[in-house]
Amino acid sequence: AQSVTQLGSHVSVSEGALVLLRCNYSSSVPPYLFWYVQYPNQGLQLLLKYTSAATLVKGINGFEAEFKKSETSFHLTKPSAHMSDAAEYFCAVSRGAAGNKLTFGGGTRVLVKP
Amino acid sequence: GAGVSQSPSNKVTEKGKDVELRCDPISGHTALYWYRQSLGQGLEFLIYFQGNSAPDKSGLPSDRFSAERTGGSVSTLTIQRTQQEDSAVYLCASSPGSGTGYTEAFFGQGTRLTVV
């Protein structure tokens, strides 16, 4: 069984400040891990993914995440927040095989203050 | 089209009525998924189609929910005798399919279902 926990359902950051969104997972097999972003009234867009290659993964829009097996974590960061980063972010895990269903965390809504 | 297309974008229905939600995946994608996004339950997997294999229906919440995929392309999610707790955004995704390694799932914009 797999599960994903995102700490903090809402995060408020100032423009230009560090964005840190926390994600912890549990999986009985080596996982594939993902971060998705959802803008209002939009579908989900993939930000980045970990698929057992490099543990530090760089994604779109300046985001990156680091897979830490010992901590079962996959936290998402961006050094400097932009107003356009205001959205909801979802961490997800799959069992690693292509096409396997995703298990999502509860999501973290990011508010960026000017 | 260039992306996953879902219709309708919004649907309001009366409790007890049946509804059909449609998903047009990206051309050539063999894998198709349905997810539900609701305030109380977050994002939940519903069903997964892969080519001609039997679908993985393990996420369907009740026997009022069913889905089919015709010709390996378009999919329809049907909810019978809708209840207010069925109100949610239903998201469809497709991916290039199986094989070795990971293939990215691309999501549609969803159908917002409101049961009144």
Side-chain angles (χ1 to χ4, degrees):
Chain A
Q2 306 164 97
S3 67
V4 178
T5 302
Q6 291 182 239
L7 293 178
S9 59
H10 292 78
V11 168
S12 180
V13 298
S14 297
E15 191 174 19
L18 171 72
V19 180
L20 170 60
L21 304 182
R22 298 180 185 275
C23 172
N24 288 88
Y25 70 92
S26 68
S27 177
S28 57
V29 298
Y32 285 6
L33 293 158
F34 312 88
W35 276 98
Y36 283 86
V37 62
Q38 186 177 36
Y39 298 101
N41 298 315
Q42 298 290 316
L44 298 170
Q45 180 182 6
L46 182 67
L47 273 179
L48 49 80
K49 60 184 182 287
Y50 166 77
T51 57
S52 75
T55 57
L56 181 61
V57 180
K58 294 187 182 297
I60 62 171
N61 302 340
F63 285 93
E64 64 181 37
E66 186 172 9
F67 172 67
K68 292 187 176 180
K69 184 178 179 180
S70 61
E71 299 178 7
T72 60
S73 69
F74 191 57
H75 302 331
L76 180 71
T77 61
K78 181 174 180 177
S80 177
H82 190 273
M83 296 300 291
S84 61
D85 295 326
E88 190 158 18
Y89 294 79
F90 293 92
C91 183
V93 63
S94 76
R95 291 182 60 187
N100 252 301
K101 58 184 184 272
L102 295 165
T103 299
F104 288 91
T108 299
R109 188 170 297 277
V110 173
L111 172 66
V112 182
K113 299 177 293 184
Chain B
V4 177
S5 178
Q6 293 188 245
S7 61
S9 55
N10 282 282
K11 175 72 176 179
V12 179
T13 189
E14 292 181 351
K15 178 181 174 181
K17 300 285 190 182
D18 298 351
V19 295
E20 288 188 348
L21 312 179
R22 178 187 169 102
C23 173
D24 280 276
I26 293 173
S27 178
H29 281 191
T30 59
L32 186 146
Y33 316 76
W34 284 97
Y35 291 86
R36 179 170 70 173
Q37 185 174 22
S38 58
L39 283 176
Q41 301 298 323
L43 269 159
E44 305 170 277
F45 164 80
L46 295 178
I47 188 169
Y48 158 52
F49 296 89
Q50 173 58 60
N52 295 321
S53 302
D56 175 353
K57 303 180 182 180
S58 60
L60 294 178
S62 77
D63 58 7
R64 296 186 295 105
F65 287 73
S66 63
E68 62 177 19
R69 189 178 184 191
T70 55
S73 182
V74 171
S75 177
T76 302
L77 177 69
T78 301
I79 308 173
Q80 296 178 308
R81 305 180 302 281
T82 52
Q83 303 295 313
Q84 287 187 330
E85 61 263 28
D86 300 333
S87 295
V89 176
Y90 290 82
L91 292 169
C92 177
S94 70
S95 72
S98 64
T100 58
Y102 166 76
T103 57
E104 179 182 344
F106 295 84
F107 283 80
Q109 294 192 338
T111 293
R112 181 176 299 276
L113 175 66
T114 304
V115 182
V116 297

